[in-house]
C-alpha cells in the first residue's frame, strides 16, 4: 500500500524487517479491528484454550465495570504451560536466566511446568485456595516466575511487591491485600551487594497481622532469621513428597481475579489494580504477538522487573502464552561494567530487547565504545516503555544498539491497561519520541477540559474511548475510587492521567503525568507515599514532594519539609530524612534533595500546590495563582 508522506523526522522499516514481519500492513489489521472490534478480539481468544467458550465477548451491562468473555472458563497458567506440553514445545526452552554473579539456569516448558506444579502443591499444603491472596517479594530470580504461575494455577490472587520497595511499602500491601502467605527470597544481589529482603520482610510482618506462612527461597545464603512455625525454606518443602506430584489447573471463570498490582495514583495510598484471567490473557497474548513479533526461533529479553506490570505482562504471561523463549537477568545494566547487557546479548544471541528510556540514557552516558566491542548483530527488534523517550536517546538506541536497522517499539501503556495501548509494529514508519498510533481497534483521543478533541499538535488530556480485554476491572477493596478516578472526569471514557498531543499523521506524543505521580527511572511513585514517609519521621511536621527533570532518571524527587517546633534544620537531618524515606518506601523513592522551608503554598481548602513549588524550583511562571491561600 502506498504510504502517505509523514511529517517530521521519519524512519522507515528496512526491507529485511518487513520481510520477516508477521503483520505487513498495519492499516489492514486496524481496519479489521475497528470494523468488527468484538470479532477481532474473539478471533484472538480462539487461539487460546478455554475449558468452556464465552457467551458474550464484551459485557457492558454494568459500566464502567466492563466484563470480557463472560460465561467462559479458562486458566491463564494452563495456557502458559499445559497447552504446550502436548506439542513439540514441550522440549522448547521456556526461559533461561543468568544471575548477577554468573549463575545460570534454564527451563524447558516441560521442566517449568514441573516447578510450577510443585510450588502450587506447596501453597496448597499451606491452605491456599482459590481467591486467597499471596504476596511475593523477591529479586529477579526464576522462583518468582514459578510462584506467580503457581498462584494462577490454583486461582489464588498474586500480589507481587517489587524487590526495590521497603518496609512500609511492603507492610501496606500485605495489609491491604490481607495476604495469607508471603513468598520471599532471603536476599537479592544488587550491584554486588546483598539486599536483605527477608530482614525487610520481618520488619513489615511485625506491622502486618494476616500472614500465616512465609516461604523463603534461598538465593544469597546470608544469615537470616527463620521464625519456627511461620517461616519455611522453599528447597526443604520441595524435598518433601507432597511437593512432587502434578497439580491440575483450577477451572476458572474468565472474570476470576488473577492478580493485584499496587500502583501509585492521584492521592493517598497506592491502590491495588485488579486484573482477571480471561481478558488479561487475550490482551497480553495478542499485543505481544503483534508488536514484538516473536518467532519460534527468537530469543526475547524484556529487561524490566517482574515486580512491575511490564514484567507481569511481558516477562511472564505474554511470552509463555506465545510459547516464546525468553531471557531474564538478575542484575543491573552497568555492573560491574557498562557492557554487561551487551555482553549478555552477544553471549545468548538475543533477538529482541525491551527496556526503558532511563536504562538507555544511563548506558548512552558511557559512550559508544562499550556496545561496539560486542557483536549485537542478533538483534532484530528493540523496545522501550515507562516514560517518554527523548529523541537523542531514541536515535542512539537505534543507531548504536540497533545498527540503524532495528525498529524501536515505543510502547505506551499502564498498570491499569495491562497491555500496549499506543505502539508501533515492526512494519510501520517510526518517529523518534512518538509511540505512533493506538493498537488496532482501540479508540483514543486528546481532549480539553470540556472533553472536546483538541486540534492536531495541541496538548490535552489523553483518554480511551472504548473498553479493551486486558483493562483493569476495579481497584481491589475500593470500587468507588475506580469509578471516581478513571471514569468520572469524562463519563464513559477512561482517563489515563497523562497529557499528550496528536500530530497531523495521528501519531501520539506523550508529554507526561498530569496528576501527582512521579516517574523516577520509569518507576511509578506517588507524591503521597513519599510525603507520608517523611511525616512519619519524628522531626517532620509537613512535607511536599515534586519531580524535577533529571538527565538519566527522567525525574528526580525533590522534597520540601517543614520541621516541628524546636527541631533544627541541619544537613545531617536532611541526610537522615533521605535515608528514612529509603527505609520506609524503598531506595527508588529516596529524595535527591531535601529543602527545609517554613511554609508551603496551599489552596484555600488546604491542598498543597505542588505545581507552584515546581514552577518556583524551575524558575518558570507558576501560572494561575487565584486559588492560592497566601
Ligand atoms: C508512562 C508502565 C511515554 C505514562 C507500563 C503512563 C510512558 C505511566 C510510556 C504508566 C511511553 C509508560 N512513553 N510515557 N512509551 N510508557 N509511560 O503503570 O505516564 O508503571 O501513564 O506502567 O508511564 O506507568 P506504569
Amino acid at each position: 500500500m502506498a504510504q502517505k508522506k509523514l511529517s517530521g523526522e521519519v524512519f522507515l522499516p528496512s526491507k529485511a524487517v518487513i520481510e520477516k514481519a508477521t503483520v505487513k500492513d498495519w492499516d489492514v489489521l486496524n481496519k479489521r479491528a475497528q470494523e468488527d472490534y468484538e470479532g477481532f478480539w474473539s478471533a484472538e481468544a480462539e487461539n487460546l484454550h478455554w475449558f468452556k467458550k464465552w457467551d458474550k465477548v464484551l459485557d457492558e451491562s454494568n459500566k464502567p465495570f466492563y466484563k470480557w468473555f463472560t460465561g467462559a472458563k479458562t486458566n491463564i497458567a494452563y495456557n502458559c504451560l499445559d497447552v504446550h506440553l502436548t506439542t513439540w514445545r514441550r522440549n522448547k526452552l521456556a526461559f533461561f536466566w543468568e544471575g548477577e554473579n554468573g549463575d545460570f539456569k534454564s527451563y524447558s516448558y516441560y521442566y517449568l511446568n514441573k516447578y510450577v506444579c510443585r510450588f502450587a502443591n506447596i501453597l496448597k499444603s499451606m491452605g491456599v485456595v482459590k481467591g486467597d491472596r499471596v504476596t511475593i517479594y523477591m529479586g529477579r530470580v526464576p522462583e518468582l516466575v514459578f510462584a506467580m504461575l503457581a498462584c494462577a494455577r490454583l486461582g489464588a490472587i498474586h500480589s507481587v511487591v517489587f524487590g526495590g520497595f521497603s518496609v512500609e511499602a511492603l507492610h501496606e500491601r500485605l495489609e491491604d491485600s490481607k495476604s495469607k502467605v508471603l513468598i520471599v527470597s532471603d536476599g537479592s544481589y544488587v550491584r554486588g551487594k546483598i539486599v536483605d529482603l527477608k530482614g525487610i520482610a520481618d520488619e513489615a510482618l511485625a506491622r502486618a497481622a494476616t500472614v500465616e506462612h512465609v516461604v523463603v527461597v534461598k538465593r544469597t545464603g546470608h544469615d537470616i532469621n527463620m521464625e519456627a512455625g511461620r517461616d519455611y525454606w522453599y528447597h526443604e518443602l520441595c524435598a518433601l513428597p507432597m511437593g512432587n506430584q502434578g497439580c491440575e489447573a483450577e477451572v476458572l471463570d474468565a472474570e476470576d481475579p488473577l492478580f493485584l498490582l499496587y500502583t501509585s495514583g492521584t492521592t493517598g495510598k497506592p491502590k491495588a489494580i485488579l486484573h482477571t484471567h480471561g481478558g488479561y490473557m487475550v490482551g497480553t497474548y495478542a499485543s505481544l504477538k503483534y508488536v514484538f513479533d516473536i518467532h519460534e526461533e527468537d530469543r526475547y529479553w524484556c529487561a524490566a522487573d517482574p515486580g512491575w506490570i511490564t514484567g507481569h505482562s511481558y516477562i511472564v504471561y505474554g511470552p509463555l502464552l506465545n510459547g516464546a523463549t525468553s531471557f531474564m537477568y538478575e542484575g543491573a545494566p552497568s555492573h560491574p561494567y557498562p557492557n554487561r547487557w551487551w555482553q549478555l546479548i552477544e553471549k545468548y544471541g538475543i533477538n529482541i530487547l525491551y527496556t526503558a528510556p532511563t536504562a538507555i540514557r544511563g548506558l548512552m552516558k558511557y559512550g559508544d565504545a562499550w556496545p561496539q566491542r560486542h557483536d549485537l548483530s542478533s538483534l532484530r527488534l528493540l523496545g522501550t516503555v515507562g516514560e517518554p523517550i527523548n529523541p537523542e536517546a531514541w536515535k542512539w538506541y537505534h543507531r548504536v544498539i540497533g545498527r540503524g536497522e532495528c525498529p524501536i517499539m515505543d510502547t505506551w501503556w499502564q498498570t491499569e491497561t495491562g497491555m500496549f495501548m499506543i505502539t508501533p509494529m515492526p512494519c510501520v514508519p517510526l518517529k523518534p519520541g512518538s509511540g505512533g498510533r493506538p493498537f488496532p481497534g482501540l479508540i483514543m483521543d486528546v481532549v480539553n477540559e470540556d472533553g472536546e478533541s483538541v486540534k492536531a499538535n495541541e496538548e490535552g488530556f489523553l483518554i480511551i474511548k472504548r473498553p479493551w480485554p486486558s483493562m483493569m476491572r476495579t481497584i481491589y477493596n475500593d470500587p468507588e475510587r475506580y469509578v471516581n478516578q478513571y471514569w468520572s472526569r469524562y463519563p464513559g471514557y477512561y482517563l489515563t492521567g497523562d497529557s499528550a498531543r496528536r500530530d497531523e499523521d495521528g501519531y501520539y506524543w506523550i508529554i507526561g503525568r498530569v496528576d501527582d505521580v512521579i516517574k523516577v527511572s520509569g518507576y511509578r511513585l506517588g507524591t503521597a507515599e513519599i510525603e507520608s514517609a517523611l511525616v512519619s519521621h519524628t522531626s517532620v511536621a509537613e512535607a511536599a514532594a515534586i519531580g524535577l527533570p533529571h538527565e538519566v532518571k527522567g525525574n528526580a524527587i525533590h522534597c520540601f519539609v517543614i520541621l516541628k517546633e524546636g527541631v533544627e534544620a541541619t544537613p545531617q537531618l536532611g541526610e537522615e530524612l533521605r535515608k528514612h524515606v529509603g527505609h520506609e518506601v524503598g531506595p527508588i523513592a529516596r529524595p535527591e534533595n531535601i529543602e527545609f522551608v517554613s511554609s508551603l503554598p496551599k489552596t484555600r481548602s488546604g491542598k498543597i500546590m505542588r505545581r507552584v513549588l515546581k514552577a518556583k524550583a524551575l524558575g518558570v511562571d507558576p501560572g494561575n495563582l487565584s486559588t492560592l491561600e497566601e
Side-chain angles (χ1 to χ4, degrees):
M1 210 174 87
Q3 284 286 351
K4 128 175 171 232
K5 174 118 180 64
L6 302 176
S7 69
E9 192 174 11
V10 177
F11 288 74
L12 297 172
S14 69
K15 227 178 166 172
V17 164
I18 298 210
E19 241 157 53
K20 182 109 185 176
T22 307
V23 176
K24 302 217 191 303
D25 193 330
W26 184 89
D27 294 279
V28 170
L29 188 68
N30 185 50
K31 186 158 179 282
R32 179 160 76 75
Q34 294 290 355
E35 282 170 2
D36 180 12
Y37 191 55
E38 291 186 28
F40 172 80
W41 286 115
S42 69
E44 292 306 328
E46 291 284 354
N47 295 325
L48 297 158
H49 177 87
W50 304 81
F51 299 113
K52 176 180 172 283
K53 290 275 170 73
W54 48 94
D55 305 318
K56 221 169 158 26
V57 177
L58 169 61
D59 175 354
E60 302 189 274
S61 58
N62 184 24
K63 292 177 192 175
F65 297 93
Y66 296 94
K67 290 181 178 162
W68 284 82
F69 306 106
T70 45
K73 299 277 181 198
T74 191
N75 184 312
I76 196 170
Y78 187 93
N79 275 287
C80 286
L81 298 167
D82 303 54
V83 295
H84 304 306
L85 302 183
T86 50
T87 72
W88 67 271
R89 282 191 188 140
R90 180 169 186 255
N91 300 319
K92 183 178 172 175
L93 210 51
F95 82 94
F96 57 105
W97 170 89
E98 188 167 316
E100 194 183 84
N101 59 353
D103 287 354
F104 176 82
K105 286 179 181 161
S106 66
Y107 306 87
S108 61
Y109 276 89
Y110 173 80
Y111 209 42
L112 178 60
N113 181 60
K114 285 248 166 192
Y115 275 87
V116 171
C117 288
R118 191 160 63 179
F119 214 135
N121 283 329
I122 289 172
L123 294 176
K124 243 189 196 171
S125 75
M126 294 180 159
V128 173
V129 294
K130 182 182 158 189
D132 283 345
R133 275 79 57 213
V134 173
T135 294
I136 303 173
Y137 179 59
M138 303 167 98
R140 269 194 294 268
V141 288
E143 289 80 0
L144 173 47
V145 179
F146 310 161
M148 289 168 72
L149 292 165
C151 289
R153 207 164 178 84
L154 299 176
I157 306 170
H158 61 69
S159 163
V160 181
V161 178
F162 171 52
F165 276 131
S166 197
V167 181
E168 187 51 27
L170 176 59
H171 160 235
E172 253 172 27
R173 287 158 174 79
L174 284 170
E175 186 115 326
D176 185 75
S177 64
K178 299 201 172 47
S179 286
K180 207 173 191 176
V181 171
L182 169 66
I183 303 167
V184 63
S185 43
D186 54 352
S188 64
Y189 289 111
V190 179
R191 294 190 173 81
K193 294 206 186 81
I194 290 174
V195 180
D196 182 19
L197 293 178
K198 178 62 166 60
I200 294 170
D202 284 338
E203 249 188 272
L205 287 166
R207 298 180 196 179
T210 61
V211 175
E212 294 166 18
H213 299 294
V214 179
V215 180
V216 187
V217 173
K218 191 177 241 168
R219 169 66 187 130
T220 49
H222 70 290
D223 258 351
I224 56 164
N225 155 58
M226 292 289 284
E227 193 175 305
R230 187 195 70 182
D231 302 350
Y232 299 88
W233 283 111
Y234 167 72
H235 61 271
E236 286 178 2
L237 296 172
C238 283
L240 298 177
M242 55 101 179
N244 287 320
Q245 299 123 29
C247 174
E248 290 281 310
E250 196 79 18
V251 174
L252 300 170
D253 234 67
E255 284 291 316
D256 274 335
L258 168 62
F259 66 82
L260 306 178
L261 190 55
Y262 286 82
T263 192
S264 308
T266 323
T267 47
K269 287 187 177 174
K271 51 198 180 190
I273 305 299
L274 184 127
H275 282 287
T276 56
H277 274 254
Y280 176 81
M281 170 170 85
V282 176
T284 51
Y285 159 76
S287 55
L288 183 66
K289 179 178 74 173
Y290 286 123
V291 175
F292 281 112
D293 195 28
I294 307 178
H295 294 249
E296 291 293 359
E297 68 277 18
D298 279 335
R299 294 175 155 220
Y300 158 87
W301 180 15
C302 168
D305 194 282
W308 298 86
I309 192 68
T310 308
H312 280 55
S313 299
Y314 300 116
I315 293 179
V316 181
Y317 292 111
L320 295 173
L321 290 168
N322 278 284
T325 295
S326 53
F327 173 58
M328 185 158 133
Y329 176 59
E330 183 183 39
S334 54
H335 178 85
Y337 293 105
N339 68 333
R340 192 69 183 104
W341 275 13
W342 318 133
Q343 194 183 41
L344 291 165
I345 289 169
E346 177 172 31
K347 177 171 175 188
Y348 294 118
I350 301 293
N351 306 100
I352 302 163
L353 173 68
Y354 184 32
T355 181
T358 187
I360 299 161
R361 290 191 297 260
L363 291 164
M364 182 169 94
K365 199 175 73 180
Y366 295 103
D368 299 5
W370 290 101
Q372 277 166 354
R373 279 194 286 266
H374 293 276
D375 177 5
L376 305 180
S377 61
S378 57
L379 287 173
R380 185 177 88 250
L381 289 174
L382 301 171
T384 166
V385 60
E387 52 175 325
I389 181 163
N390 45 315
E392 305 81 80
W394 192 101
K395 287 182 200 165
W396 183 83
Y397 193 28
H398 187 257
R399 176 176 58 83
V400 181
I401 307 307
R403 316 178 301 281
E405 283 171 26
C406 306
I408 299 176
M409 303 298 108
D410 178 355
T411 59
W412 178 92
W413 58 297
Q414 308 179 300
T415 308
E416 291 88 338
T417 70
M419 60 175 259
F420 309 141
M421 300 301 279
I422 298 175
T423 175
M425 282 184 196
C427 64
V428 309
L430 303 172
K431 301 189 188 190
S434 166
R437 292 163 292 182
F439 187 82
L442 299 179
I443 302 180
M444 303 187 62
D445 203 354
V446 181
V447 298
N448 63 18
E449 292 281 345
D450 301 323
E452 297 152 348
S453 303
V454 299
K455 291 201 205 87
N457 293 311
E458 269 177 29
E459 181 175 346
F461 302 101
L462 182 66
I463 61 169
I464 307 172
K465 291 179 139 174
R466 199 183 223 181
W468 62 101
S470 65
M471 64 200 295
M472 71 186 288
R473 294 301 192 264
T474 189
I475 294 177
Y476 186 68
N477 285 336
D478 204 349
E480 224 169 284
R481 192 168 162 195
Y482 169 68
V483 178
N484 291 338
Q485 186 160 329
Y486 299 103
W487 300 96
S488 300
R489 183 69 184 75
Y490 303 107
Y493 299 144
Y494 171 89
L495 184 73
T496 64
D498 277 19
S499 64
R501 59 188 178 80
R502 186 176 40 197
D503 69 17
E504 49 279 18
D505 302 317
Y507 278 49
Y508 284 73
W509 300 77
I510 305 296
I511 295 158
R513 299 291 306 191
V514 282
D515 54 10
D516 297 328
V517 169
I518 309 179
K519 277 277 182 160
V520 182
S521 301
Y523 295 124
R524 181 165 162 183
L525 296 167
T527 52
E529 289 154 83
I530 300 156
E531 290 160 5
S532 74
L534 282 167
V535 297
S536 74
H537 190 279
T538 50
S539 314
V540 176
E542 258 189 279
I546 58 166
L548 291 180
H550 185 279
E551 205 189 328
V552 174
K553 296 179 184 173
N555 292 288
I557 300 166
H558 286 248
C559 297
F560 299 87
V561 167
I562 303 178
L563 293 172
K564 284 188 182 154
E565 266 311 299
V567 180
E568 201 192 332
T570 61
Q572 290 79 354
L573 181 58
E575 194 44 40
E576 188 181 317
L577 294 179
R578 290 181 63 234
K579 279 207 188 114
H580 180 71
V581 177
H583 181 260
E584 292 294 307
V585 188
I588 46 162
R590 191 178 299 154
E592 197 82 358
N593 191 22
I594 302 249
E595 193 176 321
F596 296 110
V597 292
S598 56
S599 69
L600 288 168
K602 284 185 189 159
T603 61
R604 278 178 212 102
S605 57
K607 242 186 127 220
I608 296 174
M609 295 180 80
R610 295 185 188 81
R611 162 173 77 80
V612 176
L613 287 169
K614 194 164 171 170
K616 192 163 166 271
L618 294 172
V620 299
D621 176 18
N624 184 354
L625 290 179
S626 60
T627 56
L628 188 68
E629 187 195 28
E630 52 187 84

